PDB file of all heavy atoms in Angstrom:
ATOM      1  N   LEU B 433      17.823  -6.804 -42.916  1.00  0.00           N
ATOM      2  CA  LEU B 433      18.089  -5.421 -43.373  1.00  0.00           C
ATOM      3  C   LEU B 433      18.831  -4.624 -42.301  1.00  0.00           C
ATOM      4  O   LEU B 433      18.964  -3.403 -42.474  1.00  0.00           O
ATOM      5  CB  LEU B 433      16.750  -4.741 -43.715  1.00  0.00           C
ATOM      6  CG  LEU B 433      15.967  -5.342 -44.885  1.00  0.00           C
ATOM      7  CD1 LEU B 433      14.628  -4.690 -44.975  1.00  0.00           C
ATOM      8  CD2 LEU B 433      16.712  -5.164 -46.172  1.00  0.00           C
ATOM      9  N   ALA B 434      19.281  -5.331 -41.273  1.00  0.00           N
ATOM     10  CA  ALA B 434      19.903  -4.553 -40.171  1.00  0.00           C
ATOM     11  C   ALA B 434      20.971  -3.618 -40.579  1.00  0.00           C
ATOM     12  O   ALA B 434      21.087  -2.559 -40.113  1.00  0.00           O
ATOM     13  CB  ALA B 434      20.368  -5.560 -39.161  1.00  0.00           C
ATOM     14  N   MET B 435      21.856  -4.084 -41.518  1.00  0.00           N
ATOM     15  CA  MET B 435      22.947  -3.189 -41.952  1.00  0.00           C
ATOM     16  C   MET B 435      22.833  -2.952 -43.440  1.00  0.00           C
ATOM     17  O   MET B 435      22.910  -3.900 -44.244  1.00  0.00           O
ATOM     18  CB  MET B 435      24.289  -3.931 -41.698  1.00  0.00           C
ATOM     19  CG  MET B 435      24.488  -4.349 -40.279  1.00  0.00           C
ATOM     20  SD  MET B 435      24.986  -3.005 -39.232  1.00  0.00           S
ATOM     21  CE  MET B 435      26.725  -2.926 -39.623  1.00  0.00           C
ATOM     22  N   ASP B 436      22.637  -1.747 -43.785  1.00  0.00           N
ATOM     23  CA  ASP B 436      22.386  -1.418 -45.219  1.00  0.00           C
ATOM     24  C   ASP B 436      23.564  -1.824 -46.098  1.00  0.00           C
ATOM     25  O   ASP B 436      23.347  -2.316 -47.153  1.00  0.00           O
ATOM     26  CB  ASP B 436      21.979   0.075 -45.374  1.00  0.00           C
ATOM     27  CG  ASP B 436      23.117   0.995 -44.987  1.00  0.00           C
ATOM     28  OD1 ASP B 436      23.931   0.643 -44.100  1.00  0.00           O
ATOM     29  OD2 ASP B 436      23.097   2.159 -45.405  1.00  0.00           O
ATOM     30  N   GLU B 437      24.767  -1.667 -45.557  1.00  0.00           N
ATOM     31  CA  GLU B 437      25.876  -1.982 -46.443  1.00  0.00           C
ATOM     32  C   GLU B 437      26.141  -3.480 -46.591  1.00  0.00           C
ATOM     33  O   GLU B 437      26.938  -3.955 -47.428  1.00  0.00           O
ATOM     34  CB  GLU B 437      27.160  -1.294 -45.876  1.00  0.00           C
ATOM     35  CG  GLU B 437      27.100   0.156 -46.224  1.00  0.00           C
ATOM     36  CD  GLU B 437      28.108   1.018 -45.429  1.00  0.00           C
ATOM     37  OE1 GLU B 437      29.051   0.455 -44.881  1.00  0.00           O
ATOM     38  OE2 GLU B 437      27.876   2.236 -45.369  1.00  0.00           O
ATOM     39  N   GLN B 438      25.445  -4.259 -45.723  1.00  0.00           N
ATOM     40  CA  GLN B 438      25.598  -5.696 -45.913  1.00  0.00           C
ATOM     41  C   GLN B 438      24.367  -6.391 -46.477  1.00  0.00           C
ATOM     42  O   GLN B 438      24.063  -7.562 -46.341  1.00  0.00           O
ATOM     43  CB  GLN B 438      25.928  -6.347 -44.525  1.00  0.00           C
ATOM     44  CG  GLN B 438      27.324  -6.163 -44.161  1.00  0.00           C
ATOM     45  CD  GLN B 438      27.550  -6.269 -42.642  1.00  0.00           C
ATOM     46  OE1 GLN B 438      26.849  -6.957 -42.024  1.00  0.00           O
ATOM     47  NE2 GLN B 438      28.572  -5.579 -42.155  1.00  0.00           N
ATOM     48  N   TYR B 439      23.561  -5.543 -47.222  1.00  0.00           N
ATOM     49  CA  TYR B 439      22.343  -6.015 -47.775  1.00  0.00           C
ATOM     50  C   TYR B 439      22.634  -7.096 -48.846  1.00  0.00           C
ATOM     51  O   TYR B 439      23.469  -6.871 -49.719  1.00  0.00           O
ATOM     52  CB  TYR B 439      21.539  -4.865 -48.334  1.00  0.00           C
ATOM     53  CG  TYR B 439      20.338  -5.294 -49.103  1.00  0.00           C
ATOM     54  CD1 TYR B 439      19.306  -6.080 -48.547  1.00  0.00           C
ATOM     55  CD2 TYR B 439      20.199  -4.913 -50.489  1.00  0.00           C
ATOM     56  CE1 TYR B 439      18.214  -6.457 -49.301  1.00  0.00           C
ATOM     57  CE2 TYR B 439      19.080  -5.303 -51.237  1.00  0.00           C
ATOM     58  CZ  TYR B 439      18.111  -6.050 -50.635  1.00  0.00           C
ATOM     59  OH  TYR B 439      17.024  -6.428 -51.340  1.00  0.00           O
ATOM     60  N   LYS B 440      21.954  -8.248 -48.719  1.00  0.00           N
ATOM     61  CA  LYS B 440      22.162  -9.347 -49.741  1.00  0.00           C
ATOM     62  C   LYS B 440      20.817  -9.597 -50.420  1.00  0.00           C
ATOM     63  O   LYS B 440      19.965 -10.248 -49.853  1.00  0.00           O
ATOM     64  CB  LYS B 440      22.671 -10.588 -49.039  1.00  0.00           C
ATOM     65  CG  LYS B 440      24.064 -10.360 -48.435  1.00  0.00           C
ATOM     66  CD  LYS B 440      24.788 -11.690 -48.101  1.00  0.00           C
ATOM     67  CE  LYS B 440      26.144 -11.390 -47.607  1.00  0.00           C
ATOM     68  NZ  LYS B 440      26.227 -10.611 -46.403  1.00  0.00           N
ATOM     69  N   PRO B 441      20.684  -9.120 -51.652  1.00  0.00           N
ATOM     70  CA  PRO B 441      19.438  -9.195 -52.381  1.00  0.00           C
ATOM     71  C   PRO B 441      18.929 -10.682 -52.488  1.00  0.00           C
ATOM     72  O   PRO B 441      17.713 -10.942 -52.341  1.00  0.00           O
ATOM     73  CB  PRO B 441      19.762  -8.580 -53.725  1.00  0.00           C
ATOM     74  CG  PRO B 441      20.904  -7.726 -53.530  1.00  0.00           C
ATOM     75  CD  PRO B 441      21.706  -8.320 -52.469  1.00  0.00           C
ATOM     76  N   ARG B 442      19.872 -11.517 -52.681  1.00  0.00           N
ATOM     77  CA  ARG B 442      19.496 -12.955 -52.831  1.00  0.00           C
ATOM     78  C   ARG B 442      18.809 -13.497 -51.597  1.00  0.00           C
ATOM     79  O   ARG B 442      17.699 -14.135 -51.635  1.00  0.00           O
ATOM     80  CB  ARG B 442      20.713 -13.815 -53.168  1.00  0.00           C
ATOM     81  CG  ARG B 442      21.120 -13.784 -54.617  1.00  0.00           C
ATOM     82  CD  ARG B 442      20.177 -14.501 -55.493  1.00  0.00           C
ATOM     83  NE  ARG B 442      20.136 -13.941 -56.828  1.00  0.00           N
ATOM     84  CZ  ARG B 442      21.135 -14.217 -57.724  1.00  0.00           C
ATOM     85  NH1 ARG B 442      22.147 -15.029 -57.467  1.00  0.00           N
ATOM     86  NH2 ARG B 442      21.087 -13.671 -58.884  1.00  0.00           N
ATOM     87  N   GLU B 443      19.450 -13.203 -50.478  1.00  0.00           N
ATOM     88  CA  GLU B 443      18.944 -13.689 -49.221  1.00  0.00           C
ATOM     89  C   GLU B 443      17.507 -13.049 -48.934  1.00  0.00           C
ATOM     90  O   GLU B 443      16.579 -13.773 -48.516  1.00  0.00           O
ATOM     91  CB  GLU B 443      19.905 -13.201 -48.075  1.00  0.00           C
ATOM     92  CG  GLU B 443      19.709 -13.968 -46.799  1.00  0.00           C
ATOM     93  CD  GLU B 443      20.723 -13.324 -45.788  1.00  0.00           C
ATOM     94  OE1 GLU B 443      21.980 -13.443 -46.016  1.00  0.00           O
ATOM     95  OE2 GLU B 443      20.263 -12.771 -44.802  1.00  0.00           O
ATOM     96  N   PHE B 444      17.375 -11.845 -49.319  1.00  0.00           N
ATOM     97  CA  PHE B 444      16.090 -11.118 -49.173  1.00  0.00           C
ATOM     98  C   PHE B 444      15.024 -11.802 -50.030  1.00  0.00           C
ATOM     99  O   PHE B 444      13.929 -12.078 -49.574  1.00  0.00           O
ATOM    100  CB  PHE B 444      16.331  -9.658 -49.599  1.00  0.00           C
ATOM    101  CG  PHE B 444      15.140  -8.784 -49.258  1.00  0.00           C
ATOM    102  CD1 PHE B 444      14.854  -8.412 -47.883  1.00  0.00           C
ATOM    103  CD2 PHE B 444      14.319  -8.210 -50.216  1.00  0.00           C
ATOM    104  CE1 PHE B 444      13.828  -7.579 -47.612  1.00  0.00           C
ATOM    105  CE2 PHE B 444      13.272  -7.470 -49.947  1.00  0.00           C
ATOM    106  CZ  PHE B 444      12.959  -7.099 -48.620  1.00  0.00           C
ATOM    107  N   GLU B 445      15.418 -12.120 -51.267  1.00  0.00           N
ATOM    108  CA  GLU B 445      14.436 -12.826 -52.140  1.00  0.00           C
ATOM    109  C   GLU B 445      14.055 -14.155 -51.523  1.00  0.00           C
ATOM    110  O   GLU B 445      12.869 -14.525 -51.603  1.00  0.00           O
ATOM    111  CB  GLU B 445      15.091 -13.002 -53.466  1.00  0.00           C
ATOM    112  CG  GLU B 445      15.100 -11.730 -54.349  1.00  0.00           C
ATOM    113  CD  GLU B 445      16.013 -11.814 -55.553  1.00  0.00           C
ATOM    114  OE1 GLU B 445      16.109 -12.928 -56.142  1.00  0.00           O
ATOM    115  OE2 GLU B 445      16.636 -10.849 -55.874  1.00  0.00           O
ATOM    116  N   THR B 446      14.982 -14.858 -51.021  1.00  0.00           N
ATOM    117  CA  THR B 446      14.662 -16.208 -50.455  1.00  0.00           C
ATOM    118  C   THR B 446      13.642 -16.033 -49.306  1.00  0.00           C
ATOM    119  O   THR B 446      12.680 -16.759 -49.237  1.00  0.00           O
ATOM    120  CB  THR B 446      15.946 -16.857 -49.907  1.00  0.00           C
ATOM    121  OG1 THR B 446      16.941 -16.711 -50.862  1.00  0.00           O
ATOM    122  CG2 THR B 446      15.684 -18.304 -49.569  1.00  0.00           C
TER     123      THR B 446
END
Side-chain angles (χ1 to χ4, degrees):
Chain B
L433 295 172
M435 305 281 281
D436 60 336
E437 282 164 21
Q438 281 158 28
Y439 172 59
K440 295 196 175 61
R442 280 289 153 76
E443 199 182 296
F444 190 71
E445 281 166 35
T446 313

